[in-house]
Amino acid sequence: MSTDIVLAGARGHGRWHLDNIRRLQDKGIVRLAGICELDPLTADELPEGLGAPEQSADFGALLDSTGARIAVICTPIHTHTDLALTAARRGVHLLLEKPPAPSYAEFRRMADGVAAAGVVCQIGFQSLGSHALPAIRELIAEGAIGEVAGVGGAGAWARPESYFRRAPWAGKRRLNGVDVIDGALTNPLAHAVATGLALAGASHAQDVAGIETELFRANDIESDDTSCVRVTTTRGLPVTVAATLCAEDPDDPYVVVHGDSGRITFWYKQDRVLLQRADHGPEEYQYGRTDLLENLVGHLTDGVGLLVEPDATGAFMKVVEAIRRAPDPAPLPESAWHLLPGEERRIVPGVDGFVAASADSLALFSELGATWAPPREVST
């Protein structure tokens, strides 16, 4: 028997969820019972084969009228907590898009409220459903790369100026006095942070001992588009992630686990792993992944383990909080970036190399000698 679902936020990234729900509906696992959008989707916007789900701008009323068992929430960051609690109060289980909240306080309000209501919540870090993660943990446990020295993450992406105008909250740290914290590390490249922390064995809030941030922006926005963070875990391991949306040659993001006798690189969007170690040739592996909505349904119907419960994103949320509390991102001097003709996007020459070097050396931009990131006190 299929599980009824309501999707809140069906445009933008929500279109991915529509297609995924269609895939699972074809398998007989779920049924799309309702769509919550401020303006109803037109027939052209609805993938063929999803039937005629009920549509409403009132999320609570839609959950009541459809009797849905699961809600997928893919709405602006600052709306996540209230919508999640609206569902939880009705006994509706959740797939909540990342980042789960714009501040640690809002995250705790959401997670504690969901737990008190007795419903299940899966956080939408799709990379944490990759079968590569347990395989990498096994390699580490076997001593394939010796003693782990740290984890680095690199994300060199490109986004046009229009990306930051796609919604009123895009590129904002706050909107009408409410935290949004939409930045390179907290939203588009959040997976690099969460995956790096997971591979360091530091997913929970209590696993974090300290956080350093360096936040910059080439675009005319409030939030960061070129930034790095270094988390020190309670075990003393550094986890460094560098990210930019102003790459010269954008490439797939990755996380690298450094050992004293080798390294493991994980391209998390591809589920691809490269093992390099002393006295061996390079070994490459390809893995599958478990879809998080399918995992949530399996958890509810068959008792399979939930992959990404809220507390498993606590360390990531500590990073979001550090970025929220940090000084506003420093604008890069005009000499540090230029507009790429034809693509209407700003690029920072040399930033791709700095992002890669950060992942390789576990160093921050200022420590790598980036002229636009002079040595200074970093926020902790």
Side-chain angles (χ1 to χ4, degrees):
M1 185 175 167
S2 64
T3 301
D4 280 0
I5 287 180
V6 161
L7 172 62
R11 294 187 173 96
H13 182 59
R15 286 195 292 267
W16 182 90
H17 285 286
L18 274 178
D19 289 335
N20 192 46
I21 290 168
R22 163 67 201 273
R23 180 182 68 82
L24 297 178
Q25 187 163 301
D26 287 348
K27 293 173 72 171
I29 295 172
V30 304
R31 183 183 78 90
L32 183 62
I35 294 173
C36 182
E37 268 289 355
L38 296 179
D39 298 309
L41 263 62
T42 64
D44 289 344
E45 290 179 295
L46 199 61
E48 197 175 329
L50 279 173
E54 187 178 334
Q55 298 204 53
S56 172
D58 187 327
F59 184 53
L62 188 61
L63 293 175
D64 291 339
S65 62
T66 59
R69 193 176 183 201
I70 292 175
V72 177
I73 296 177
C74 185
T75 56
I77 301 163
H78 56 291
T79 67
H80 284 184
T81 293
D82 285 341
L83 290 176
L85 295 179
T86 295
R89 283 192 294 268
R90 288 165 168 79
V92 178
H93 305 287
L94 291 159
L95 174 61
L96 179 62
E97 256 303 343
K98 59 81 193 159
S103 69
Y104 193 76
E106 281 292 275
F107 168 70
R108 283 270 42 108
R109 185 165 75 91
M110 179 278 295
D112 293 345
V114 163
V119 301
V120 174
C121 180
Q122 177 105 283
I123 306 298
F125 282 108
Q126 294 291 339
S127 61
L128 300 185
S130 177
H131 303 163
L133 265 72
I136 293 170
R137 290 188 183 110
E138 194 171 317
L139 286 169
I140 293 169
E142 290 170 356
I145 59 169
E147 178 129 3
V148 173
V151 179
W157 274 5
R159 290 293 182 267
E161 290 178 316
S162 59
Y163 172 81
F164 302 104
R165 298 191 296 268
R166 73 192 188 282
W169 56 271
K172 293 283 200 301
R173 282 171 69 78
R174 289 165 205 89
L175 183 65
N176 301 323
V178 176
D179 287 321
V180 175
I181 319 300
D182 176 43
L185 290 167
T186 54
N187 194 6
L189 286 155
H191 282 88
V193 179
T195 307
L197 290 166
L199 288 177
S203 296
H204 294 77
Q206 61 266 30
D207 298 326
V208 175
I211 301 173
E212 303 160 84
T213 62
E214 293 187 352
L215 310 176
F216 303 94
R217 57 178 178 84
N219 283 275
D220 186 17
I221 55 176
E222 285 181 8
S223 60
D224 56 290
D225 57 33
T226 300
S227 44
C228 59
V229 62
R230 182 164 55 211
V231 179
T232 303
T233 74
T234 49
R235 290 165 51 211
L237 280 184
V239 179
T240 304
V241 182
T244 185
L245 303 179
C246 306
E248 294 179 279
D249 297 300
D251 206 353
D252 269 343
Y254 60 88
V255 172
V256 56
V257 183
H258 296 276
D260 60 11
S261 62
R263 62 196 290 173
I264 301 168
T265 307
F266 173 37
W267 289 269
Y268 59 80
K269 287 180 70 69
Q270 303 175 22
D271 300 306
R272 183 164 65 92
V273 171
L274 176 65
L275 170 62
Q276 297 165 291
R277 49 183 169 165
D279 302 322
H280 289 75
E283 301 164 55
E284 197 164 322
Y285 305 95
Q286 186 72 47
Y287 295 93
R289 72 165 59 186
T290 299
D291 176 72
L292 296 184
L293 179 54
E294 195 165 356
N295 171 249
L296 174 58
V297 174
H299 177 76
L300 296 173
T301 57
D302 301 320
V304 302
L306 195 70
L307 285 169
V308 196
E309 61 185 10
D311 281 349
T313 65
F316 169 79
M317 282 307 308
K318 285 289 188 182
V319 172
V320 173
E321 180 69 7
I323 290 170
R324 184 184 80 88
R325 295 168 68 96
D328 285 346
L332 294 183
E334 289 192 13
S335 59
W337 61 268
H338 64 263
L339 194 64
L340 194 63
E343 293 189 33
E344 296 304 307
R345 67 180 180 88
R346 299 186 185 192
I347 65 171
V348 176
V351 73
D352 305 35
F354 284 118
V355 166
S358 173
D360 203 43
S361 64
L362 306 177
L364 301 174
F365 290 146
S366 63
E367 297 165 344
L368 292 167
T371 55
W372 37 264
R376 60 186 176 87
E377 283 214 13
V378 292
S379 67
T380 303

